[in-house]
Amino acid sequence: MARRTMSLIPQWSSRVFSVELNGAPFYFSTRGQHRGEEVPPVFREVQNYARLYSLLVCSSDKIRRAKFYAELKEKLLRELPPECHLSPMSSFLPNVRDSLLNGYFLKDNSESSSPTERLLRDLSQRDPVFVCSYLKCEDGQLWTQRLWPDADCPAMETSKDYYVVPSEAPEYHPSTLNIINSDVFYSFEEAYEVLEKCGDIIPEAMSVLELLPSRAEARRKPDYPVIVIEGLDATGKTTLTESLRDALGASLLQSPPQCLSPMRARFDREPPLIRRAFYALGNYLTAEQIGQEGMKTPVIVDRFWHSTAAYAIATAVSGQVCNLPAEGSEVYRWPSDLLQPSLVVVLTLDPEERKRRLRNRGQGKTVEEQELDHNQLFRLKVETAYQRISGPAFVTVDASPSADQVLQQVLLLIRGKCHL
Ligand SMILES: Nc1ncnc2c1ncn2[C@@H]1O[C@H](COP(=O)(O)OP(=O)(O)O)[C@@H](O)[C@H]1O
Ligand SMILES: Nc1ccn([C@H]2C[C@H](O)[C@@H](COP(=O)(O)OP(=O)(O)O)O2)c(=O)n1
């Protein structure tokens, strides 16, 4: 086996592969010897295709991996023959943190193998991609997987063929394995390092870093209560936070803070690793402002860490809500170096009423917010993740009554919990 593969894909032969067909995952693994196992169901589903391949993006450089994975699908769709179809695929070591590699399962029904194989060979030699092809033998009763040689090992003509065999669904859904420090950052340093490393490819990253201290400053707890208002778009956060500011004579802040607005659209176009690091750092900047304002008045904050973590987790975890890490998972922990508010209020709203409010407001929405609108599953995942985040006192409020009734209810809660 290629040396680079051995070092970049640890425990290659112990890996499980997952292919998503019509939204359902199919798992298989590989064996050096066949012991009478069944053909993995995914190969029965796709056996009418002339050729099958897997492509896995792998690089020890996290930023290169994230950038390349984001570009790969577009490149494949542009350059592959039209008879080729892609399904999301991943490879992982069951329940092992940070072992997930993402890629695509490629089903090819074009007449000639040459255009596809030329493209895949180029990719495997120039880019951080490992390619395998699958061969049917004994009338479809056995399938084998062959890893292609790569750039660092051009002399290697072929590698050993492995039999593919069915594999159980793992205890932890594979899409949860890499969340820590790739989707959610638990310290200022971890997020800072990501933006620092992409300064040469994203000029806006430098502008963000210039606004930040080089490390999170240890600060005295604010003298006044700090109340964060959370909830999906159009649940009434802006309306409520402005009324609370007036009712309590409080300062009103938001995360990301205003000074990051010019850079935000750029980061919204970046892959999750970079985008989430940006939002994580936004919270530390807002925390600085809270630290200052909270010495003079109560502080109301429109979105904070719950938004950053819940949206990131909901986007990273594919499939059903039950795939989310269970309550109590370390994925939901509060960063130890981030200021904890006195109270977090999450506004919830019936989906139909939320849609009505969105329509009435009629302004442009981010792609992610449009996704929330269309995708009930994603909305449920965000709301579930909100509930599971640990740390500060947390309360859910039904935001369907009138704006004034919601205000009165939240004022009662704040007075009860924060002694205002
Ligand atoms: N309690 C409420 N009842 C009815 N409409 C509301 C209520 N709160 C807010 N709205 C309206 O719903 C829309 C979304 O509210 P907004 O405060 O902008 O939400 P967010 O900041 O959470 O996106 C606005 O048009 C607002 O006037
Ligand atoms: N503190 C924050 C605030 C927002 N985000 C992300 C999460 C979502 O991708 C978007 C939602 O924010 P958006 O500004 O569109 O929503 P509102 O207009 O505040 O209702 O931003 C975050 O990660 N951390």
Side-chain angles (χ1 to χ4, degrees):
M1 190 183 297
R3 207 171 256 146
R4 189 171 73 127
T5 315
M6 296 281 271
S7 59
L8 284 182
I9 311 189
Q11 302 181 48
W12 172 244
S13 51
S14 310
R15 288 190 156 259
V16 174
F17 300 85
S18 166
V19 175
E20 214 176 288
L21 289 183
N22 304 321
F26 288 85
Y27 297 101
F28 67 89
S29 53
T30 58
R31 283 267 165 80
Q33 269 155 11
H34 198 262
R35 299 187 203 131
E37 293 93 344
E38 303 241 304
V39 173
V42 64
F43 287 90
R44 294 202 192 283
E45 295 279 329
V46 296
Q47 60 183 339
N48 292 334
Y49 280 88
R51 288 167 296 278
L52 299 168
Y53 307 91
S54 57
L55 288 84
L56 291 167
V57 179
C58 179
S59 165
S60 50
D61 178 345
K62 260 205 235 183
I63 291 171
R64 185 165 184 235
R65 197 161 84 196
K67 278 287 212 186
F68 187 75
Y69 180 62
E71 292 159 11
L72 180 62
K73 188 172 184 184
E74 227 171 274
K75 183 178 170 70
L76 290 171
L77 291 177
R78 205 173 46 235
E79 296 182 21
L80 281 169
E83 298 83 4
C84 286
H85 299 112
L86 298 173
S87 301
M89 171 165 198
S90 65
S91 157
F92 57 96
L93 297 169
N95 312 328
V96 175
R97 218 168 98 177
D98 237 12
S99 67
L100 183 77
L101 302 174
N102 283 314
Y104 294 100
F105 194 63
L106 166 56
K107 299 162 283 180
D108 180 6
N109 249 349
S110 56
E111 238 165 63
S112 155
S113 62
S114 317
T116 304
E117 299 218 337
R118 201 175 313 120
L119 175 66
L120 295 185
R121 202 159 301 283
D122 270 8
L123 278 173
S124 71
Q125 298 195 342
R126 279 209 309 253
D127 294 304
V129 177
F130 287 99
V131 176
C132 292
S133 48
Y134 296 89
L135 294 175
K136 179 159 62 173
C137 30
E138 294 186 13
D139 280 346
Q141 292 315 302
L142 288 175
W143 284 80
T144 56
Q145 172 182 269
R146 176 174 301 178
L147 178 69
W148 287 18
D150 60 56
D152 289 357
C153 224
M156 188 187 77
E157 278 300 308
T158 56
S159 67
K160 187 167 155 30
D161 286 351
Y162 284 83
Y163 294 97
V164 297
V165 297
S167 186
E168 299 273 304
E171 182 186 352
Y172 297 105
H173 192 266
S175 62
T176 64
L177 296 175
N178 286 24
I179 287 178
I180 294 174
N181 292 334
S182 288
D183 294 289
V184 185
F185 300 88
Y186 299 86
S187 71
F188 177 85
E189 270 80 23
E190 291 286 354
Y192 191 94
E193 197 184 307
V194 171
L195 255 60
E196 207 174 24
K197 282 191 181 149
C198 50
D200 50 344
I201 47 171
I202 306 173
E204 287 83 351
M206 296 314 293
S207 319
V208 175
L209 295 180
E210 279 162 19
L211 293 167
L212 291 163
S214 56
R215 50 187 296 277
E217 307 281 329
R219 275 196 165 271
R220 192 157 69 88
K221 209 167 157 276
D223 290 340
Y224 287 87
V226 177
I227 295 110
V228 170
I229 307 297
E230 288 280 0
L232 299 175
D233 192 25
T235 47
K237 296 182 299 300
T238 308
T239 310
L240 176 64
T241 50
E242 287 173 358
S243 308
L244 286 172
R245 174 196 58 200
D246 298 343
L248 297 171
S251 303
L252 175 53
L253 297 172
Q254 66 192 54
S255 175
Q258 212 101 60
C259 61
L260 293 186
S261 301
M263 293 78 123
R264 188 170 174 182
R266 171 64 198 256
F267 285 96
D268 277 340
R269 293 196 300 271
E270 292 298 326
L273 174 75
I274 299 168
R275 179 171 186 212
R276 303 305 176 188
F278 166 80
Y279 281 107
L281 291 171
N283 291 322
Y284 287 93
L285 269 177
T286 299
E288 275 290 303
Q289 299 174 348
I290 296 173
Q292 287 160 15
E293 296 301 311
M295 294 301 171
K296 300 178 278 186
T297 58
V299 183
I300 306 296
V301 193
D302 187 340
R303 290 194 189 268
F304 197 52
W305 168 255
H306 276 73
S307 282
T308 310
Y311 279 76
I313 293 167
T315 312
V317 176
S318 60
Q320 300 300 310
V321 178
C322 63
N323 295 342
L324 286 171
E327 177 122 45
S329 158
E330 54 176 342
V331 160
Y332 301 114
R333 72 181 186 270
W334 192 271
S336 55
D337 59 356
L338 183 65
L339 176 140
Q340 288 204 17
S342 328
L343 178 66
V344 179
V345 177
V346 178
L347 302 180
T348 60
L349 198 54
D350 163 74
E352 285 312 307
E353 169 63 9
R354 210 183 122 247
K355 257 188 236 164
R356 200 188 59 76
R357 289 188 192 176
L358 274 169
R359 267 198 307 275
N360 284 353
R361 195 167 59 176
Q363 68 194 47
K365 287 183 276 175
T366 63
V367 174
E368 196 160 55
E369 288 292 349
Q370 288 170 28
E371 169 96 339
L372 275 179
D373 217 13
H374 296 139
N375 191 338
Q376 161 92 343
L377 199 54
F378 184 53
R379 183 182 65 74
L380 273 174
K381 282 193 259 189
V382 174
E383 287 184 337
T384 309
Y386 263 143
Q387 306 288 333
R388 294 186 181 168
I389 291 167
S390 64
F394 172 95
V395 59
T396 301
V397 167
D398 174 16
S400 49
S402 73
D404 191 54
Q405 283 171 302
V406 175
L407 170 67
Q408 295 311 324
Q409 202 202 329
V410 174
L411 280 173
L412 268 179
L413 280 166
I414 294 175
R415 292 196 170 116
K417 300 218 183 235
C418 305
H419 315 293
L420 261 178

